[in-house]
Amino acid sequence: MRNRWIALYVENQVGVLAKVSGLFSGKSYNLQSLTVGTTEHEDISRMTICVTSDDVTFEQIKKQLNRMVEVIKVIDLTNVPIHMKEILFAKVKNCTTADKVVAFQIAQAFDVDVVDYGEDSVLLECKLTERKNNELIELLRTSFKNIEVVRGGAVAIESISTSCAGRTEYKKK
Amino acid sequence: MDITGRKLIVKALMEEGVETVFAYPGGMVTDILDELYKTDTIDLVLPRHEQGLIHEAEGYAKSTGGIGVCIVTSGPGATNIITGLADAHYDSIPLVCITGQVPLGLIGNDAFQEVDIVGMTRSITKYGVTVRDRKELGRTLKMAFHIAKTGRPGPVLIDIPKDIQTSSGPSEYPKSVSIRGYKPNENVHIGQLKKGYKLLKSAKRPLFLIGGGIPIAHAEALMLDLMERTQVPVVTTIMGKGSVPTDHRLYIGNSGMHGKYAANIAVSQCDVLFSIGTRFNDRITGDLNEFAPRAKIVHVDVDTASISRNVVVDVPIVADAKLAIEKLLEWAEPQNTDKWLAQICEWDKENPLEMRRDRGMTPQMIMEQINECFDSGIILTDVGQHQMWATQYIELNQNKKFITSGGLGTMGFGFPAAIGAKIANPDKQVICISGDGGMQMNIQEMATSIVQHAPVIVCVLNNYYLGMVRQMQQLWYGKRYEATCLRRQKQCPRDCKGPGEKCPPYTPDFVKLAESYGAKGIRVFKEEEIAPAFEAAKQHNVTTIIEFMIATEDLVLPMVKGGNPMSEMILSK
């Protein structure tokens, strides 16, 4: 069992998202994240899907997606170099001055932006990998009493050169 | 010149060569029906319930190899066809179902008779869509017919809002359609197929396992040729039964939960299992770890997703059964299977399919008389014990077709499907084998068979029980016949363990019921009455129910308990 990544080109039509996500619930596939947006062609959407599964199930997932009429192309990103990022906003609330210092230190260490600031709160905007975002949330949770988090799910695209530093997941088993 | 949507819909049906539509009216399809009123090339069948309607369309499609067309209204009309959609999806039956929908502007308002039928049926249709733009109507209808019949066939649902039906738009119905996300496989991978054939040829104990893909691809004659040319014996799933003549010396029988002992042992002992057009459903494999444990498995299927899903195979081949067999026939050479065949015969002699003959009329006797009295025709079944007895004892050949609900196991399928088959094949004898439970699930279709002049011989095997479940209660639940006795009334004792003298009478009286519809009814108690009943029914030009009063607690044997290995068969009580 491990995380696997799929890029999915689908028709940009009503009900396609429901059909794709329905497949995962209907067949008990373990969906980690799913993001969707339009592409350079306005009638085509692209999804980035992360699932946790064994090899056999993953093969089946790809086949099941492939046979949907609305699915144009399935690309397995699991073992290819990719760039992958997830947007995340984290609001640290009820801060003391000392808390704010820690928040800024964390922001600096994780290389994320402080995009808003108030009397007793700080807003961080993070564009990290999903894994790094998980670590950041964990750190914020232990460091502060009151945080509010919203995350967008990962988007991924194949790398142009294999040596670039964008890849994250595929080297680790 | 622009035309209305309703005109385009009927134009599409005509250009697709549709001769019969199964339609039930309602507010959101009256426009389409009004347009059909003006044509004289399309027959309209009005059933008595939409579930009956869709099973009739399934029987029609399955018996002709064509597409069944359904037209139902929005809301309850649409939800009533859901079971049939799931049934057709499982058994790969091509249907185009047009559902009316409330006008676009009312969708989402919880309008009268509004349901999200496309959303509800997403997982049980091959494709489903609501037409939201009049300009898209022609292409969408073409897509529906194309998708339903190509690749692995299946049901397609097109939901058409009322205002799309009435508004004007392009009159064109496209001759063909290209769908970028839908490219069914039309070739055979020769390298893979060769690899599969090599394996078969090298085998000492080779076996073909044949499923519903053969009849769907119309490859029965080719399969017979392949079997004879290679001398490799064949076992079938229930959906594949009849793909080769059942009296052929190379045909062993059905494998699976209620299959023949010799067939299941052959599967577990073979060294190469060459399967074509089957999904390796759990009723065929039993315990997956013990399925064909000594065999290398070759799997030919048109649906990529059916390959290596339940059983991981050694040589996967994505191909239409017909194309694959045509190719195999170019290479096929006789193999020496005499010793292997003798061994299989030995197993069959050890435990043949046989019911006791000393306790009155048995289902086996009824099936044997069907074999005897009809040398051609279409035989359909409902779901339950009678279905399994039919799959065990009915003999099939090129002149006899067998249709049953396999994947979904839909009680209530048999009788309406038989009506659909008869409508499509007025010159053929159509025989429906049903139980007393399943027959009552769509009994209202008696009227349809009468008004459509579609006479069917209906064999109701009445044992007063929902027998398949009662069989489980009998074997594993201490004979606690909860909810399975159809004679049970309020005054019956709580702890009834089976039939006795004080049992209330059965209801309904099938003979009187048949007569009330203007059909005929015959009740049969004894073996010697079976053949005369069939002869009488043949003479009637009207649907005839023959009610066979069989023993109340007979079991379907042999059987394999769900999840057990196929080699562990329960052979006798």
Side-chain angles (χ1 to χ4, degrees):
Chain A
M1 297 285 280
R2 62 185 179 113
N3 278 0
R4 299 149 199 272
W5 299 84
I6 294 170
L8 195 69
Y9 284 101
V10 297
E11 299 288 348
N12 183 9
Q13 287 169 357
V14 179
V16 177
L17 174 60
K19 186 159 185 179
V20 171
S21 59
L23 175 78
F24 286 84
S25 58
K27 300 212 180 278
S28 283
Y29 301 145
N30 196 348
L31 184 63
Q32 290 300 324
S33 81
L34 187 158
T35 61
V36 60
T38 49
T39 61
E40 62 278 18
H41 306 286
E42 61 183 24
D43 59 344
I44 296 177
S45 296
R46 176 164 163 156
M47 296 182 181
T48 303
I49 296 172
C50 178
V51 292
T52 310
S53 74
D54 57 36
D55 292 344
V56 176
T57 309
F58 187 56
E59 278 311 307
Q60 186 56 215
I61 290 171
K62 286 189 282 181
K63 288 176 182 173
Q64 291 286 347
L65 288 169
N66 238 323
R67 76 169 177 179
M68 284 184 184
V69 173
E70 300 90 340
V71 168
I72 300 163
K73 199 173 182 188
V74 182
I75 304 171
D76 181 359
L77 298 178
T78 309
N79 291 313
V80 297
I82 54 170
H83 290 268
M84 195 260 287
K85 283 286 185 296
E86 182 194 27
I87 183 100
L88 176 151
F89 284 113
K91 197 183 279 179
V92 183
K93 300 194 281 199
N94 303 106
C95 294
T96 61
T97 312
D99 285 339
K100 285 182 184 171
V101 173
V102 176
F104 270 83
Q105 283 170 344
I106 290 174
Q108 196 174 13
F110 276 76
D111 195 21
V112 301
D113 297 327
V114 177
V115 292
D116 203 356
Y117 186 89
E119 203 175 325
D120 63 348
S121 51
V122 176
L123 180 64
L124 308 181
E125 180 188 288
C126 326
K127 294 185 287 280
L128 302 171
T129 64
E130 211 170 30
R131 180 187 293 257
K132 200 83 182 158
N133 276 342
N134 289 341
E135 287 166 6
L136 178 62
I137 292 171
E138 194 47 44
L139 182 61
L140 294 173
R141 205 175 2 226
T142 50
S143 306
F144 307 105
K145 286 197 188 69
N146 190 350
I147 61 170
E148 181 185 342
V149 166
V150 58
R151 54 197 301 186
V155 294
I157 196 163
E158 300 92 321
S159 301
I160 297 167
S161 55
T162 48
S163 59
C164 70
R167 179 68 215 198
T168 50
E169 307 280 338
Y170 81 102
K171 286 172 194 152
K172 304 180 190 108
K173 277 274 157 126
Chain B
M1 198 186 70
D2 282 3
I3 60 171
T4 53
R6 53 186 249 179
K7 275 206 164 71
L8 182 58
I9 293 166
V10 173
K11 182 180 172 183
L13 297 178
M14 286 161 79
E15 292 202 8
E16 291 294 339
V18 174
E19 292 170 2
T20 305
V21 296
F22 297 84
Y24 203 95
M28 296 303 127
V29 290
T30 44
D31 280 280
I32 304 175
L33 298 183
D34 190 50
E35 209 59 53
L36 283 168
Y37 183 84
K38 299 172 192 165
T39 70
D40 46 13
T41 59
I42 299 175
D43 286 333
L44 187 145
V45 175
L46 171 68
R48 293 298 180 263
H49 189 294
E50 287 96 347
Q51 190 187 354
L53 177 153
I54 190 163
H55 293 323
E56 279 153 25
E58 288 184 86
Y60 182 93
K62 196 95 200 191
S63 65
T64 57
I67 295 178
V69 178
C70 307
I71 299 174
V72 295
T73 193
S74 63
T79 54
N80 276 341
I81 66 167
I82 287 182
T83 303
L85 288 170
D87 190 87
H89 191 54
Y90 256 120
D91 288 347
S92 312
I93 301 174
L95 300 180
V96 170
C97 300
I98 295 173
T99 54
Q101 182 57 282
V102 300
L104 282 170
L106 283 185
I107 292 179
N109 286 13
D110 289 353
F112 177 64
Q113 296 194 329
E114 178 200 350
V115 294
D116 172 17
I117 192 65
V118 172
M120 286 174 187
T121 58
R122 223 163 249 142
S123 61
I124 50 167
T125 50
K126 195 172 168 191
Y127 181 65
V129 71
T130 302
V131 181
R132 287 163 203 275
D133 182 351
R134 168 62 188 82
K135 288 200 283 296
E136 288 295 315
L137 181 61
R139 178 182 152 82
T140 309
L141 287 165
K142 185 74 209 178
M143 277 176 73
F145 280 92
H146 176 64
I147 291 169
K149 69 186 172 198
T150 48
R152 178 179 172 187
V156 175
L157 187 142
I158 303 295
D159 189 38
I160 310 181
K162 174 104 170 165
D163 46 349
I164 298 282
Q165 299 170 28
T166 52
S167 60
S168 286
S171 63
E172 197 209 347
Y173 181 67
K175 287 259 175 285
S176 64
V177 68
S178 161
I179 308 161
R180 56 187 166 189
Y182 179 73
K183 300 274 178 272
N185 198 299
E186 282 162 354
N187 300 307
V188 191
H189 192 297
I190 301 294
Q192 281 296 93
L193 195 63
K194 218 169 230 172
K195 212 166 134 191
Y197 178 66
K198 238 179 164 174
L199 212 52
L200 182 77
K201 223 183 134 192
S202 68
K204 289 202 167 62
R205 300 183 308 279
L207 190 64
F208 281 120
L209 172 63
I210 299 306
I214 296 285
I216 289 171
H218 306 291
E220 292 97 333
L222 291 169
M223 188 60 226
L224 175 61
D225 200 3
L226 182 65
M227 172 176 81
E228 286 179 339
R229 291 263 286 278
T230 54
Q231 291 293 303
V232 171
V234 167
V235 300
T236 52
T237 69
I238 74 164
M239 301 309 284
K241 174 148 183 169
S243 295
V244 294
T246 49
D247 60 356
H248 200 286
R249 72 177 188 93
L250 289 168
Y251 179 67
I252 308 171
N254 275 345
S255 70
M257 185 175 261
H258 292 292
K260 220 181 200 181
Y261 174 80
N264 278 341
I265 300 300
V267 170
S268 65
Q269 295 295 331
C270 66
D271 60 354
V272 170
L273 186 65
F274 198 108
S275 60
I276 309 177
T278 166
R279 298 180 290 124
F280 291 112
N281 175 268
D282 54 281
R283 300 279 134 149
I284 292 299
T285 62
D287 181 358
L288 282 170
N289 298 317
E290 296 287 324
F291 178 70
R294 291 161 186 82
K296 294 256 188 231
I297 302 178
V298 183
H299 188 187
V300 180
D301 202 287
V302 75
D303 177 18
T304 326
S306 289
I307 294 178
S308 287
R309 171 164 50 180
N310 301 333
V311 171
V312 179
V313 301
D314 300 279
V315 185
I317 302 164
V318 182
D320 175 78
K322 192 173 186 177
L323 295 180
I325 297 173
E326 272 170 1
K327 204 76 218 163
L328 285 167
L329 280 169
E330 289 177 16
W331 309 321
E333 282 172 16
Q335 294 176 225
N336 185 359
T337 50
D338 294 349
K339 215 170 131 195
W340 171 228
L341 282 170
Q343 173 66 69
I344 294 169
C345 277
E346 209 48 47
W347 288 324
D348 201 27
K349 270 184 210 140
E350 270 171 40
N351 290 298
L353 267 179
E354 190 68 59
M355 294 181 92
R356 284 176 60 171
R357 287 185 182 269
D358 57 349
R359 287 181 308 181
M361 181 174 66
T362 64
Q364 182 179 0
M365 294 169 188
I366 300 165
M367 303 304 159
E368 283 169 353
Q369 280 306 322
I370 293 175
N371 295 336
E372 200 62 30
C373 297
F374 303 95
D375 20 322
S376 66
I378 304 169
I379 299 161
L380 298 97
T381 81
D382 205 74
V383 168
Q385 283 187 308
H386 69 275
Q387 177 191 29
M388 292 302 115
W389 284 316
T391 61
Q392 290 178 333
Y393 297 111
I394 288 289
E395 299 287 342
L396 298 168
N397 55 40
Q398 294 90 329
N399 303 321
K400 289 190 204 173
K401 209 177 169 78
F402 188 72
I403 297 173
T404 190
S405 166
L408 194 67
T410 311
M411 281 175 73
F413 167 87
F415 179 50
I419 296 170
K422 183 69 185 178
I423 288 170
N425 302 274
D427 301 333
K428 289 189 183 157
Q429 189 81 62
V430 174
I431 302 127
C432 169
I433 303 168
S434 188
D436 53 315
M439 186 59 196
Q440 291 183 65
M441 279 203 176
N442 271 315
I443 191 81
Q444 78 287 345
E445 297 307 313
M446 284 297 291
T448 314
S449 83
I450 298 296
V451 300
Q452 288 295 329
H453 299 184
V456 171
I457 298 176
V458 189
C459 310
V460 175
L461 274 58
N462 192 345
N463 58 1
Y464 304 142
Y465 281 107
L466 302 171
M468 201 47 130
V469 178
R470 193 223 60 234
Q471 170 163 344
M472 295 181 213
Q473 292 168 332
Q474 207 168 333
L475 291 171
W476 300 305
Y477 293 85
K479 290 196 168 194
R480 293 183 296 279
Y481 294 158
E482 184 74 5
T484 48
C485 177
L486 294 181
R487 278 195 294 188
R488 186 179 177 86
Q489 291 190 7
K490 284 196 106 57
Q491 73 273 17
C492 288
R494 189 76 203 99
D495 57 350
C496 172
K497 293 244 196 275
E501 279 168 14
K502 286 184 185 159
C503 286
Y506 190 87
T507 185
D509 179 327
F510 280 105
V511 172
K512 282 188 186 152
L513 183 130
E515 285 163 0
S516 79
Y517 277 104
K520 303 269 189 198
I522 303 171
R523 191 167 286 122
V524 170
F525 297 92
K526 289 192 268 202
E527 185 182 4
E528 52 273 26
E529 296 166 2
I530 304 173
F534 283 132
E535 291 311 322
K538 274 197 219 175
Q539 302 309 316
H540 300 157
N541 248 336
V542 69
T543 289
T544 304
I545 294 183
I546 308 175
E547 185 186 22
F548 294 95
M549 312 311 291
I550 58 169
T552 50
E553 288 181 289
D554 266 348
L555 299 172
V556 181
L557 291 171
M559 83 170 294
V560 177
K561 196 176 176 183
N564 278 10
M566 279 298 149
S567 50
E568 288 177 20
M569 301 197 83
I570 303 168
L571 296 160
S572 60
K573 240 189 275 193

